[in-house]
Amino acid sequence: MKVFNAMEPLVAEALNEYWSDINMPCKCEQCKNDVFAIALNSITPRYVSKDNGIAYVKAQYFDKQMKTNIVVKIAEATKKVAEHPQCANFQR
Amino acid sequence: MKVFNAMEPLVAEALNEYWSDINMPCKCEQCKNDVFAIALNSITPRYVSKDNGIAYVKAQYFDKQMKTNIVVKIAEATKKVAEHPQCANFQR
């Protein structure tokens, strides 16, 4: 079955856009991955079928309110990972 | 970034398991895809990183309450698609 969560590319895009501005104790690939997963878990999924989904996703790029909501969720996820990093650099 | 929604394989598994028992005006691939997308949109996502996600998913298979919840969501999604099929067989 061919579906995908239209929020994934939108959150990935915003995370990549702001990643250099974000302050965290560790900015390794796993910490970035954890921020991405935690942010997606706090955003209502919007699964669409792969055929007509791409157009749907593009339309969302122009939705300022959605973009703001995503950036807020990323900031919250960043805070959680900064407080409890799970990557190898912080495992004792 | 490598994350996936651990609920996707669980919902796909349950949908495939019950698909033959489900009564719907149309059971084409798109209608099945639409049921899958609508069900996933009504279930809280559980994104995990691809590295340790597989073990997490397997553990969920034994969670009877989660399986029941998934089956209920599939039934609701099936009802919606049965009432408003979007596939080519029903477009006038």
Side-chain angles (χ1 to χ4, degrees):
Chain A
M1 288 175 280
K2 298 165 296 171
V3 297
F4 75 99
N5 182 1
M7 300 310 292
E8 279 187 38
L10 297 179
V11 174
E13 161 99 6
L15 184 53
N16 287 326
E17 191 179 325
Y18 292 101
W19 187 241
S20 53
D21 306 330
I22 289 173
N23 264 315
M24 283 173 70
C26 178
K27 296 192 76 179
C28 71
E29 197 52 32
Q30 185 181 336
C31 283
K32 189 177 182 185
N33 224 37
D34 290 346
V35 170
F36 188 37
I38 293 169
L40 281 168
N41 282 335
S42 66
I43 293 170
T44 306
R46 294 196 184 198
Y47 277 87
V48 290
S49 88
K50 278 197 174 136
D51 308 333
N52 52 29
I54 308 292
Y56 177 90
V57 172
K58 288 213 173 116
Q60 305 307 311
Y61 274 123
F62 305 103
D63 179 337
K64 289 274 167 287
Q65 186 52 53
M66 173 172 290
K67 182 95 185 248
T68 308
N69 179 42
I70 288 173
V71 172
V72 166
K73 298 292 184 184
I74 288 173
E76 288 167 7
T78 301
K79 197 162 169 282
K80 280 182 189 157
V81 175
E83 282 162 11
H84 304 286
Q86 299 294 313
C87 69
N89 303 333
F90 280 80
Q91 292 313 311
R92 288 292 163 272
Chain B
M1 288 173 281
K2 300 166 296 176
V3 297
F4 76 98
N5 182 0
M7 299 310 293
E8 280 188 36
L10 297 178
V11 175
E13 161 99 7
L15 185 52
N16 287 325
E17 193 179 323
Y18 292 101
W19 187 242
S20 53
D21 306 330
I22 288 172
N23 263 316
M24 282 173 71
C26 179
K27 297 194 76 179
C28 71
E29 198 52 33
Q30 184 182 334
C31 282
K32 189 177 183 184
N33 223 37
D34 290 346
V35 169
F36 188 37
I38 293 170
L40 280 168
N41 282 335
S42 67
I43 294 171
T44 306
R46 295 196 182 198
Y47 277 86
V48 290
S49 87
K50 278 194 175 138
D51 308 331
N52 51 29
I54 309 291
Y56 176 90
V57 171
K58 287 207 172 117
Q60 305 306 312
Y61 274 123
F62 306 102
D63 178 338
K64 289 276 167 286
Q65 185 52 53
M66 174 172 289
K67 182 98 184 244
T68 308
N69 179 40
I70 287 172
V71 172
V72 166
K73 297 293 184 185
I74 287 172
E76 288 167 6
T78 300
K79 196 163 169 284
K80 281 182 188 156
V81 175
E83 281 162 11
H84 304 286
Q86 299 295 313
C87 68
N89 303 333
F90 280 80
Q91 291 313 311
R92 287 290 163 277

